[in-house]
Structures are given as structure tokens and as C-alpha cells.
């Protein structure tokens, strides 16, 4: 039974990585025909509806004293909306592969925030891991600068902002759940903030051109469903498998996004892409391993911060 449970956990984590990859690839494909921000709004709408239905089914309860956490809960929604909008824009500008790879610097920022706000232990190896991740980002920037993409700076900045924002959301989610706030309530705040941010940006930019192509609209809406599926599978994986293992399996997302880049969109890969991939994967997996306590038993696992999309 233990072997079967672990197999189900690994399988669910693989499906989670596939879902997140599908979201990025669907967004990139849909933006070829219509405004990026409207496409992101469709993504946010579908995700919000899926989360709302889940919350209605689960019916999570507020614990006593939740009012003291209400400002942070609202801020998580706002920051989550900004960071997911940023990664979507990074996908549009830099492509699914590069944007996802840069996003996987999230564990480095999560470690920094955990040391600052959760009083986690600091390790000198963290500096080396951070330098590896930053070197990879610099390589991605340098390789794309030589291409015809004139928006490479914006793409890198969007992806880095998303990584920092995601790390902040994860740390605050840890604080909230430790304070008795149900995970589904945090998820509802996140999805609400994401939808409100995209609506606000579309309104400011007056970018409400509704696609007349049904296929493109379907792709945009499906991306939100893929995002929700990725999150759901991640939660299921965490019920069956250790968080550190799930985190490492989720890095498959980067490979799948690059595979989609090449096969579906015929985007070129430079030698620096392979080096950057190796550096960030080493940094990400190193961060997971050095900040995970040895396993004692199934009931005493130390929870680890996971990259989230």
C-alpha cells in the first residue's frame, strides 16, 4: 500500500507539472491572435469559477481569531493577482520555456523570505544557490538579446517579479495556515485577486476586444482550467508524497514548456538555454534538498515551500 500511495503521489505531481505547462502553452498560443491582457482575463475567470465551485463543495470554516489575519489574506489575493498576471505576460514576451525557467528561481526567494519572516535557519549554501540562479537569468537575457525579441528585458523582469511575488505568497500562505486559515480560503482570495487585477488592467488599457474566433476563446478559457487542474493535482500529490519530492517532480514543467516551444512554436534554443536550464534546476533542487529535514515518519514531515503558478 505504501508503494502504491507513493506511486499515486508521483503520478499526481507529474500531472500537476503537465497542467501548469499546458496553461503556459495555451496562453502563448492564444495570444498569437488576440490581445494578451484579455486572454489573461479569460484565464483568470475560468480559474476563479473552478476555485469558487471547489470552495462551495468543501465549505471551509473560519477559525476563531481570523479577523487578525484578514489584512494579510486580502494582500495575498492582491499580490497573487499581480504575480500571476506577470508570469502570463512573461510567457507572452519571452515564450513559455524561458519564462517558466526564470520562474523556478522562486525557491531561492522563498528561502530568503522564510529566513526573514518565518525565522528559518540560514545556510551559506543559499548564497551559492542564489548566484547559480541569477547567473542562469543573466544567460537567458544575453542569449535573447541577440535575437529579434526587443522586449527581452520586460520578459525577464516580468518573470522575476512573478518569482518574487510567488515566494511572498507562499510564505504568507504558510503564516495564514499556521494561524488557522483554511487553504481553500487562501486559494479563493488568490483567485479573486487574480481576476480583479486582470479586470482592472484591461479597464485601464481599454483592452476589452472579445475574440470572434471561438477556437481562440476556447484556448484562453481552457488555460484557466489547466491552471486549476495543476493546483488540484499538486494538492493530491502532497497527500501521498513528501513535499520535497513533489517539488522536484514539478520541475518537469520547465522541460515540457521548452518541448512545446520547439515542437509547437518552432522557437530556437541556444546553447545558453541548456546551461541556464542546468543552473536553475541545480539551484532549485539544491534549495529543496538543503531546506528539507530528514524524514522520520509520515506524521512528522517538515513542510517545504513549493513554487506555485
Amino acid at each position: 500500500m505504501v508503494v502504491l500511495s507513493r506511486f499515486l503521489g508521483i503520478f499526481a505531481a507529474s500531472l500537476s507539472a503537465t497542467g501548469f505547462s499546458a496553461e503556459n502553452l495555451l496562453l502563448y498560443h492564444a495570444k498569437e491572435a488576440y490581445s494578451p491582457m484579455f486572454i489573461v482575463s479569460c484565464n483568470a475567470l475560468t480559474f476563479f469559477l473552478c476555485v469558487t465551485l471547489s470552495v462551495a463543495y468543501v465549505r471551509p470554516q473560519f477559525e476563531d481569531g481570523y479577523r487578525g489575519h484578514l489584512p494579510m489574506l486580502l494582500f495575498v489575493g492582491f499580490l497573487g493577482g499581480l504575480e500571476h498576471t506577470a508570469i502570463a505576460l512573461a510567457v507572452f514576451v519571452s515564450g513559455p520555456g524561458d519564462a517558466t525557467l526564470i520562474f523556478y528561481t522562486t525557491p531561492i526567494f522563498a528561502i530568503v523570505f522564510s529566513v526573514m519572516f518565518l525565522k528559518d535557519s540560514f545556510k551559506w549554501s543559499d548564497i551559492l544557490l542564489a548566484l547559480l540562479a541569477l547567473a542562469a537569468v543573466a544567460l537567458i537575457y544575453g542569449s535573447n538579446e541577440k535575437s529579434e525579441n526587443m522586449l527581452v528585458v520586460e520578459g525577464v523582469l516580468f518573470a522575476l517579479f512573478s518569482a518574487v511575488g510567488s515566494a511572498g505568497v507562499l510564505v504568507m500562505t504558510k503564516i495564514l495556515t499556521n494561524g488557522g486559515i483554511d487553504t481553500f480560503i487562501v486559494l479563493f482570495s488568490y483567485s479573486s485577486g487574480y481576476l480583479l487585477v486582470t479586470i482592472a488592467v484591461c479597464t485601464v488599457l481599454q483592452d476589452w476586444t472579445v475574440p470572434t474566433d471561438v477556437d481562440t476563446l476556447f484556448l484562453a478559457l481552457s488555460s484557466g482550467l489547466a491552471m486549476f487542474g495543476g493546483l488540484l493535482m499538486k494538492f493530491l500529490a502532497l497527500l501521498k508524497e513528501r513535499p520535497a519530492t513533489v517539488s522536484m517532480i514539478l520541475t518537469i514543467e520547465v522541460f515540457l514548456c521548452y518541448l512545446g516551444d520547439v515542437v509547437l512554436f518552432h522557437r530556437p534554443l541556444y546553447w545558453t538555454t541548456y546551461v541556464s536550464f542546468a543552473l536553475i534546476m541545480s539551484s532549485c533542487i539544491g534549495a529543496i534538498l538543503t531546506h528539507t529535514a530528514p524524514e522520520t515518519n509520515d506524521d512528522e514531515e517538515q513542510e517545504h515551500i513549493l513554487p506555485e503558478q
Side-chain angles (χ1 to χ4, degrees):
M1 292 300 293
V2 175
V3 174
L4 177 61
S5 178
R6 296 202 65 183
F7 172 78
L8 292 176
I10 292 172
F11 182 66
S14 301
L15 289 180
S16 176
T18 303
F20 290 137
S21 304
E23 178 200 5
N24 290 339
L25 295 170
L26 286 168
L27 283 173
Y28 187 77
H29 183 66
K31 74 99 183 181
E32 296 293 328
Y34 291 97
S35 164
M37 275 312 305
F38 183 82
I39 297 300
V40 176
S41 297
C42 293
N43 171 271
L45 176 62
T46 309
F47 178 59
F48 172 77
L49 292 176
C50 290
V51 170
T52 301
L53 291 174
S54 299
V55 170
Y57 176 77
V58 175
R59 296 185 179 181
Q61 301 295 319
F62 282 101
E63 299 289 340
D64 293 337
Y66 78 91
R67 293 183 185 276
H69 294 289
L70 194 56
M72 182 178 291
L73 183 63
L74 295 175
F75 184 69
V76 164
F78 174 70
L79 182 59
L82 288 178
E83 67 90 359
H84 205 84
T85 301
I87 190 59
L89 294 176
V91 168
F92 294 148
V93 174
S94 298
D98 286 350
T100 305
L101 183 59
I102 295 174
F103 177 81
Y104 268 86
T105 59
T106 295
I108 302 301
F109 297 112
I111 288 172
V112 173
F113 292 153
S114 296
V115 170
M116 293 172 60
F117 301 111
L118 298 179
K119 308 304 179 184
D120 282 3
S121 60
F122 170 78
K123 298 182 179 181
W124 289 104
S125 59
D126 296 341
I127 297 178
L128 175 61
L129 296 174
L131 290 175
L132 286 177
L134 292 175
V137 173
L139 279 175
I140 293 172
Y141 169 79
S143 63
N144 283 301
E145 189 179 31
K146 298 174 183 178
S147 70
E148 297 178 356
N149 185 1
M150 302 303 293
L151 298 177
V152 60
V153 176
E154 287 84 350
V156 170
L157 291 178
F158 280 140
L160 279 176
F161 176 83
S162 181
V164 174
S166 179
V169 167
L170 289 168
V171 171
M172 285 187 287
T173 298
K174 179 67 173 178
I175 295 173
L176 289 169
T177 52
N178 285 347
I181 304 298
D182 191 278
T183 303
F184 275 94
I185 294 176
V186 178
L187 189 58
F188 181 75
S189 175
Y190 182 98
S191 64
S192 301
Y194 181 31
L195 180 61
L196 290 174
V197 167
T198 57
I199 290 175
V201 174
C202 276
T203 301
V204 170
L205 298 178
Q206 297 183 349
D207 200 359
W208 289 108
T209 304
V210 179
T212 55
D213 182 358
V214 177
D215 291 339
T216 302
L217 185 59
F218 176 76
L219 289 176
L221 293 171
S222 297
S223 65
L225 185 61
M227 176 186 177
F228 176 75
L231 282 174
L232 181 62
M233 287 297 104
K234 184 163 73 172
F235 289 152
L236 292 177
L238 290 171
L239 293 175
K240 301 292 184 180
E241 185 54 84
R242 298 180 66 216
T245 304
V246 174
S247 296
M248 285 185 280
I249 294 172
L250 285 176
T251 59
I252 298 172
E253 179 188 354
V254 181
F255 170 77
L256 293 176
C257 283
Y258 273 125
L259 182 64
D261 262 350
V262 174
V263 175
L264 299 178
F265 308 120
H266 309 292
R267 290 171 57 88
L269 295 182
Y270 303 95
W271 67 268
T272 49
T273 301
Y274 301 104
V275 176
S276 299
F277 179 85
L279 289 175
I280 287 187
M281 290 300 97
S282 299
S283 175
C284 181
I285 295 173
I288 293 166
L289 295 178
T290 58
H291 283 264
T292 302
E295 185 176 11
T296 54
N297 59 57
D298 291 340
D299 297 326
E300 296 180 353
E301 289 181 350
Q302 177 176 335
E303 185 171 353
H304 181 79
I305 294 173
L306 296 170
E308 182 170 329
Q309 283 207 315

